[in-house]
Amino acid sequence: MKVELVQLAGRDGDTAYNLQRTIEAIGNCGADTDLLVFPETQLMGFPTEENIGRIAEPLDGPSITAVQQAAQAQNVAVVVGMAEAADDGRFYNTTVLVTPEGVALTYRKTHLWASDCGVFTPGDRFATALFKGIRVGLLICFDIEFPETARALGQLGAELIIVTNGNMDPYGPTHRTAITARAMENQAFAVMVNRVGDGDGGLVFAGGSAVVDPYGQLLCEAGRGECRMTVELGMEQLQQSRR
């Protein structure tokens, strides 16, 4: 499986800008790319208690619909973060796996960071989906600092753990360590894509998007600027590590 990591700077609360950049990135993907991965809340940026009701969208809203159309046009799958407005009137920090056929998997962040509290409701379940014969699970940012989250996916058979990230200074090294451990503990590939640049409230996002193999070895790691990295995951390595 060929995976493309898209490490971007976003704008908090500016869906039009973020969506445009997301669609452009999908349109510019490699001809043989299978999957593109974007950061946490890529489509809306990080909302506040004041604007969450205005910018959050349902899963069948205009932003995910546009992403699905772009994915279909390029015949690729996309993992992207959003602020979800659910039918129950609550808001969730959600990551979605979108294939050319539609939404294949959703995950609502279970471990809320301090700035998530009061804005989002925590999710309450883990799930996986098969994509091109590989069982995929999703996590979001702070989740990976807890071994139990990845282990829940491991027990569901996950072979590829994808993490949409919005990690800021000074915690970049924390997530580099965590993603390595989560991959090794579960003998799974792990792909983490973080945001870069400045955010509201003086935040500076740490970048450092990375891919880790089932032995816990880094296959690639980004710096602190916008970039795109492509890595090919060899499933034979997964089977070797599990033996």
Side-chain angles (χ1 to χ4, degrees):
M1 179 180 289
K2 188 164 285 188
V3 181
E4 193 169 332
L5 289 69
V6 188
Q7 179 171 283
L8 295 176
R11 293 181 183 173
D12 293 323
D14 191 343
T15 303
Y17 173 84
N18 296 325
L19 179 61
Q20 179 185 357
R21 298 208 67 200
T22 302
I23 299 302
E24 288 173 353
I26 296 170
N28 293 329
C29 72
D32 56 350
T33 296
D34 296 299
L35 176 67
L36 290 93
V37 183
F38 291 88
E40 178 183 10
T41 61
Q42 163 68 19
L43 295 177
M44 290 85 185
F46 285 108
T48 64
E49 289 185 67
E50 290 72 34
N51 70 10
I52 181 68
R54 175 174 55 83
I55 68 174
E57 296 181 15
L59 293 173
D60 59 356
S63 293
I64 292 297
T65 298
V67 168
Q68 195 271 328
Q69 290 170 347
Q72 188 175 53
Q74 294 297 118
N75 193 32
V76 297
V78 176
V79 171
V80 65
M82 65 176 295
E84 178 196 355
D87 292 338
D88 60 7
R90 298 176 180 177
F91 304 108
Y92 296 92
N93 185 332
T94 300
T95 289
V96 185
L97 169 60
V98 183
T99 71
E101 291 73 41
V103 174
L105 180 65
T106 64
Y107 169 71
R108 294 167 171 172
K109 189 176 185 180
T110 53
H111 292 70
L112 300 184
W113 184 249
S115 56
D116 290 324
C117 296
V119 179
F120 294 116
T121 297
D124 63 1
R125 68 198 64 196
F126 299 92
T128 63
L130 273 176
F131 173 65
K132 294 199 169 182
I134 298 171
R135 187 152 295 279
V136 177
L138 304 174
L139 294 175
I140 301 173
C141 199
F142 193 37
D143 287 330
I144 65 168
E145 297 187 34
F146 302 89
E148 293 83 0
T149 59
R151 190 71 203 120
L153 295 178
Q155 290 177 319
L156 293 171
E159 299 165 306
L160 170 59
I161 298 171
I162 298 174
V163 183
T164 56
N165 212 16
N167 189 29
M168 73 293 290
D169 290 342
Y171 306 114
T174 301
H175 281 202
R176 187 182 191 274
T177 300
I179 196 66
T180 301
R182 302 297 84 86
M184 184 174 65
E185 288 161 353
N186 295 285
Q187 292 90 52
F189 284 100
V191 173
M192 178 180 72
V193 178
N194 197 21
R195 182 174 162 179
V196 295
D198 299 333
D200 290 350
L203 297 179
V204 178
F205 294 97
S209 299
V211 179
V212 184
D213 74 15
Y215 292 100
Q217 302 298 311
L218 278 167
L219 298 180
C220 64
E221 184 177 20
R224 294 179 61 88
E226 289 194 344
C227 69
R228 300 174 71 153
M229 301 185 299
T230 301
V231 64
E232 191 158 357
L233 308 181
M235 289 302 111
E236 68 281 353
Q237 189 179 31
L238 180 80
Q239 302 309 320
Q240 290 167 2
S241 71
R242 293 185 173 188
R243 279 199 299 270

